[in-house]
Amino acid sequence: MLKKSTISLQKSAIYLIKNWRWLLRFYVAWWLLSLILPTPQRVLLGPPQQVEAVKPHVCVHTRLIDEVDEWKIQQSLKLVREMGADTIVELFPWPYAQPSADTFDWASFDRIARHAENQGIHVMARLGLVPEWARSDVDSDFSTLNYLPDESFDEFGAFVEAFAGRYAGVIDHIIIWNEPNISFEWGYRQVDAAGYTRLLQAVYARAHAANPNVVIVAGALAPTLEPAGSPNGLSDVLYLEELYRAGAAEYFDALAIHTYGFTQAPQAEPALDRLNFRRAELLRDVMERYDTPEKPVYITETGWNDHPRWALAVRPSQRIGYTLDAFRWAEENWPWVKKMCVWALRYPAPVNSYPDNFTLITTDFQAKPIYYAIQAYARGLERSDNLWLPAPIE
Amino acid sequence: MAARPNRIAAIVLVGLVALGIIIAGHQIRNSRLSKTTSPAELFANGEIRIGVDASFPPFAFVNDDELVGIDIDLGRAIGEALGMPVRFVNMGFDGLYDSLKANQVDILISALLVDPLRQDNVLYTRSYFDAGLVLVSNPDNVIEDMGELSGHVLAYEFGSSADSEARRWLRRIHPFEIHPYERPEYAMDAVRLGQADAALVDAISARLYLREYNDTWDAQIHYVTESIFAIATRRDRPDQWRVVNRALQTLFEDGRLDTILNRWL
């Protein structure tokens, strides 16, 4: 038997060698199969939609730019509309649109603008990050995507001008940079309010020339207690004062604020040495001292976190209760706030850590209870003031 | 036509060669893993450095300047099983995986959920606790899974993952009444006091609550979802993973793991 099978194997091997064309065919077939990719899902815009919003200050920060699948952008924006928010804040990274000094590629921006417009949603665009060509003089070990040298302010201004002109009528609010009061966001340099003022100056006139209706929004300041001289950043309140002293008031039309509640209720009193939701009032005080009272505020990031492992988180029930109370607080007490945008609708992929517990929707599009609670508030569907039952009594 | 048997035999031959390559690869991997090295050789510092975030009771927390909890007892038991001293390095949750990568610690025992996105760099051991959602019900009206809830009253913590799960099941089965509460303990109170038929809560909350009422309430617990806690080791040190996993398996089999869990939960 063994001899027979050995002979058979030998014959097979000889057959394979003689019929090499079969091997070639097999290889070609395998190569062709490996080229087969799933067909991209076809996305149709559908009829134009409108947001049914009875609370116009409800807004949400999205994370759409890094979505690979277009249908996920559309689905996210549908959920924003169904929640009753008529505005989103979204990052539009400069390197995506201008990969080299003389090349523009607007495709990834266009699809967000197209779907937002179709869903009846306004977009506040946060412009930032720096392409490599605009920071090429910096040693690569030190350079970060947030490093914008003074020499490149003019190039950034040209990009903002091109952006403002291209999306005029669709995107009329442009936030310049993100959290310039912390060193990480300022390219790991000492924060510099005068430098940021020069950046605002570099974009302001050009953006208005391209789109007379554009609203240039400054700041998006990070809530932080860092004292003057700290290598990590500077208190948002102190930074805003420095900004005004540097003459920035002429170069922005509205201020963006990031204000998080952390472990405190939204009603908690603000103080210079405390981070909480009403810290926004301290910033408003500075504005009222240095600026015209009509200049509005956009809260472009806010919210609470309910991760069980994060020291600055609250319970899930508190997160919802605090978020709704914060919306009510802004509605009743802050006439200067135009929009209050919750961080964040959804992430493209889970982080598997505490940031996931800032979202309203899971990565696989499961709406969390907080989404439904905000929806009920934003669309005027609230049936009761009580979110939960009283504790059972023995 | 005469060539057909040879063609079939050739296909079989190619298949056998492929299978042989797979088996040989597996054998080589196993032989690498099974080289007899003592734990002392595997942990170069002469001790097992364990990364832990001691802010998550009852798994790890600080009590009178001392680290205590399930993860601490488990780390010590693993050290004993391997005949190695252990040293705990307390840090923030966010720094755990970075410290493993940067070789500041050898393993992580910190109520870590298995994270598929980290498996390029990390090997997880078998699980040592499942913190998933459980249904807690009374012994005279046992509800074993969510499909049995129709017509019953379900209590849970408002806004929690239990809330999401309850909403999901409300779309799937005939209606059931929902009773949201501010805290998971109140949901279990409702069941114990006969105001709800079942509570959907996480397993940690359930076990902590039932410790208090163990003598007076024979509550029934049935798992609905999984949230697996495991120990993390470096992927490029598979031998460390092997000995730690084996030690954990031993603790599981001889009941010491249960003893540790029952001490705290």
Side-chain angles (χ1 to χ4, degrees), chain B residues 2-52:
Chain B
R4 180 157 290 172
N6 278 352
R7 196 181 297 168
I8 293 166
I11 292 166
V12 171
L13 180 66
V14 169
L16 285 171
V17 170
L19 191 66
I21 291 169
I22 292 166
I23 292 169
H26 192 67
Q27 290 295 333
I28 290 166
R29 183 174 170 274
N30 277 353
S31 68
R32 278 184 192 157
L33 281 178
S34 60
K35 276 178 193 165
T36 332
T37 35
S38 69
E41 289 171 79
L42 294 175
F43 295 96
N45 295 303
E47 62 183 0
I48 305 175
R49 298 167 303 165
I50 302 175
V52 64

Side-chain angles (χ1 to χ4, degrees), chain A residues 325-383:
Chain A
D325 283 349
F327 274 121
R328 292 187 193 107
W329 183 274
E331 187 182 4
E332 290 162 13
N333 301 292
W334 294 347
W336 32 273
V337 166
K338 294 290 176 200
K339 295 286 174 191
M340 198 174 121
C341 311
V342 176
W343 176 269
L345 181 76
R346 172 184 169 271
Y347 295 154
V351 181
N352 284 325
S353 185
Y354 77 90
D356 288 335
N357 290 51
F358 275 118
T359 62
L360 310 181
I361 291 168
T362 62
T363 298
D364 57 355
F365 288 102
Q366 297 295 315
K368 297 180 182 178
I370 190 169
Y371 171 88
Y372 294 113
I374 295 175
Q375 182 183 53
Y377 168 78
R379 298 182 64 170
L381 307 172
E382 288 172 299
R383 288 179 210 136

Side-chain angles (χ1 to χ4, degrees), chain A residues 12 315 317 352 354 369 389 394, chain B residues 9 115 157 164 180 182 184 192:
Chain A
S12 303
R315 296 200 65 79
S317 53
N352 284 325
Y354 77 90
L389 297 170
E394 299 270 353
Chain B
D115 181 351
E157 179 190 10
S164 295
E182 189 186 0
R192 186 173 55 81

Side-chain angles (χ1 to χ4, degrees), chain A residues 9 12-13 15-16 22 307-309 315-317 320 350 352-354 366 369 372 387-394, chain B residues 7 9 13 53 56 93-94 110-111 115 117 157-159 163-164 167 179-184 186 192-193 195:
Chain A
L9 279 174
S12 303
Y15 175 85
L16 271 179
W22 275 104
H307 193 272
R309 301 293 296 272
R315 296 200 65 79
S317 53
I320 297 177
N352 284 325
S353 185
Y354 77 90
Q366 297 295 315
Y372 294 113
L387 295 171
W388 50 78
L389 297 170
I393 297 167
E394 299 270 353
Chain B
R7 196 181 297 168
L13 180 66
D53 158 31
F56 192 51
F93 180 68
D94 286 345
S110 196
D115 181 351
L117 296 178
E157 179 190 10
F158 179 72
D163 188 342
S164 295
R167 286 170 198 257
H179 282 193
Y181 289 98
E182 189 186 0
R183 304 181 68 87
Y186 299 161
R192 186 173 55 81
L193 299 171
Q195 296 170 19

Side-chain angles (χ1 to χ4, degrees), chain A residues 90-112:
Chain A
E90 175 65 37
L91 168 66
F92 291 84
W94 180 17
Y96 287 25
Q98 204 175 355
S100 62
D102 50 3
T103 313
F104 282 94
D105 175 2
W106 301 102
S108 58
F109 293 7
D110 283 353
R111 62 181 193 168
I112 293 173

Side-chain angles (χ1 to χ4, degrees), chain A residues 130-202:
Chain A
V130 187
E132 199 174 304
W133 60 265
R135 54 189 167 90
S136 52
D137 60 324
V138 179
D139 177 67
S140 60
D141 288 342
F142 179 74
S143 179
T144 77
L145 279 171
N146 296 321
Y147 181 86
L148 180 64
D150 266 43
E151 310 85 81
S152 295
F153 282 7
D154 200 42
E155 275 98 351
F156 184 68
F159 164 68
V160 175
E161 181 182 359
F163 183 96
R166 183 178 182 83
Y167 297 108
V170 180
I171 302 175
D172 289 332
H173 290 76
I174 296 177
I175 306 166
I176 303 300
W177 221 251
N178 183 55
E179 302 186 338
N181 63 316
I182 54 175
S183 65
F184 165 71
E185 297 284 358
W186 198 240
Y188 276 124
R189 291 171 296 174
Q190 191 78 33
V191 298
D192 174 15
Y196 180 63
T197 301
R198 289 195 298 278
L199 181 63
L200 291 171
Q201 191 176 1

Side-chain angles (χ1 to χ4, degrees), chain B residues 79-201:
Chain B
E80 270 175 37
L82 297 177
M84 294 278 294
V86 296
R87 178 161 62 88
F88 291 96
V89 182
N90 185 15
M91 65 188 82
F93 180 68
D94 286 345
L96 287 169
Y97 282 105
D98 286 343
S99 70
L100 185 68
K101 194 175 174 184
N103 198 27
Q104 299 302 299
V105 297
D106 299 306
I107 64 174
L108 303 175
I109 308 182
S110 196
L112 290 177
L113 287 169
V114 171
D115 181 351
L117 296 178
R118 295 194 185 270
Q119 287 181 330
D120 283 347
N121 301 313
V122 167
L123 289 171
Y124 291 102
T125 61
R126 56 152 294 143
S127 72
Y128 63 90
F129 186 72
D130 182 354
L133 295 173
V134 294
L135 276 168
V136 181
S137 57
N138 280 306
D140 56 350
N141 182 21
V142 179
I143 296 177
E144 292 190 7
D145 72 53
M146 297 293 284
E148 297 173 18
L149 277 172
S150 297
H152 290 89
V153 178
L154 178 71
Y156 54 80
E157 179 190 10
F158 179 72
S160 65
S161 54
D163 188 342
S164 295
E165 188 71 9
R167 286 170 198 257
R168 206 161 67 83
W169 279 90
L170 273 171
R171 293 193 292 267
R172 278 189 185 182
I173 60 173
H174 289 299
F176 54 89
E177 199 177 324
I178 51 171
H179 282 193
Y181 289 98
E182 189 186 0
R183 304 181 68 87
E185 301 86 56
Y186 299 161
M188 287 180 280
D189 280 344
V191 178
R192 186 173 55 81
L193 299 171
Q195 296 170 19
D197 297 307
L200 186 62
V201 294

